[in-house]
């Protein structure tokens, strides 16, 4: 029996922004016919605990499957494992550099490399400030590849958010939308109200 659900690979590395990871996983979980396959680096687990007070086992209710970054033989390491693509949220500058150079020494980096070689969608929710010339060069190189989108974790005010949750929902909804996931909480721009 073939798996009928659409798989989205989620990589998470040790940058700030873990509430956004949780929100993206929640949107995928709520979407009909989608499932999430999550790979967290050891640094991601540190920032997850620092920012959300959660441990890896707590993510079992958010993600359909969780892989160890050391499990280089797991399904996402092969292009024959069909996915809709991959979202890296948050994407640290180290993981960005690993993806840019093709240095695939963990499962997250290998899965991103596979996503690129198969010309599937790869969204990198990068987070650092300020950005150095090295960071910007890595982003510029990756942005040239088919299917790759650099979507920095940036605050938005144009939808007039009232709470941090409003702002988090808006950013997360934009990150999962390219995979075909719609969120009711996503405020589309409909022109200035005059
Ligand atoms: C609380 C905390 C916040 C961090 N935030 C960032 C960040 O926003 N961007 C970044 O590139 N690195 C950040 N780092 C540093 C990365 O975790 C570090 O470079 C790590 O080696 C990244 O490894 P990974 O890409 O394999 O997860 C942060 C570290 C900690 C402990």
């Amino acid at each position: 029996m073939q798996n009928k659900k659409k798989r989205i690979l989620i990589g998470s590395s040790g940058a700030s922004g873990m509430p956004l990871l949780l929100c993206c996983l929640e949107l995928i979980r709520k979407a009909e016919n989608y499932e999430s396959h999550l790979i967290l680096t050891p640094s991601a687990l540190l920032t997850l605990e620092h920012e959300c007070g959660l441990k890896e086992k707590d993510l079992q209710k958010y993600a359909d499957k969780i892989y160890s970054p050391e499990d280089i033989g797991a399904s996402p390491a092969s292009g024959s494992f069909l996915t809709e693509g991959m979202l890296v949220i948050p994407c640290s500058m180290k993981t960005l550099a690993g993806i840019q150079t093709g240095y695939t020494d963990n499962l997250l980096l290998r899965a991103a490399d596979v996503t690129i070689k198969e010309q599937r969608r790869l969204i990198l929710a990068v987070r650092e400030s300020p950005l150095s010339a090295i960071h910007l060069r890595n982003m510029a190189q990756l942005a040239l590849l088919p299917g790759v989108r650099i979507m920095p974790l940036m605050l938005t005010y144009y939808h007039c958010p009232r709470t941090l949750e409003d702002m988090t929902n808006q950013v997360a909804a934009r990150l999962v939308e390219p995979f075909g996931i719609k969120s009711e909480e996503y405020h589309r721009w409909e022109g200035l109200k005059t």
Side-chain angles (χ1 to χ4, degrees), residues 87-88 91 96 99 122-126 142 148-152:
L87 165 65
V88 184
C91 182
L96 175 80
I99 296 171
L122 176 64
I123 297 193
L124 302 176
V126 292
L142 281 164
V148 176
R149 264 198 227 193
I150 308 291
M151 295 185 71

Side-chain angles (χ1 to χ4, degrees), residues 12-16 41-44 46-47 50-51 91-96 106 127-129 135:
S12 189
S13 57
S16 184
T41 66
S43 306
L46 284 181
T47 45
H50 178 70
E51 294 183 341
C91 182
S92 75
M93 294 304 104
K94 178 189 161 200
T95 286
L96 175 80
N106 66 37
R127 218 301 319 177
E128 187 50 283
S129 184
H135 305 149

Side-chain angles (χ1 to χ4, degrees), residues 5-20:
K5 288 199 173 180
K6 295 179 182 176
R7 301 176 181 129
I8 302 181
L9 286 172
I10 306 284
S12 189
S13 57
S16 184
M18 287 299 162
L20 286 157

Side-chain angles (χ1 to χ4, degrees), residues 18 22 45-55 58:
M18 287 299 162
L22 299 183
L45 291 174
L46 284 181
T47 45
L48 179 72
E49 186 156 11
H50 178 70
E51 294 183 341
C52 302
L54 298 179
K55 294 188 183 296
D58 300 315

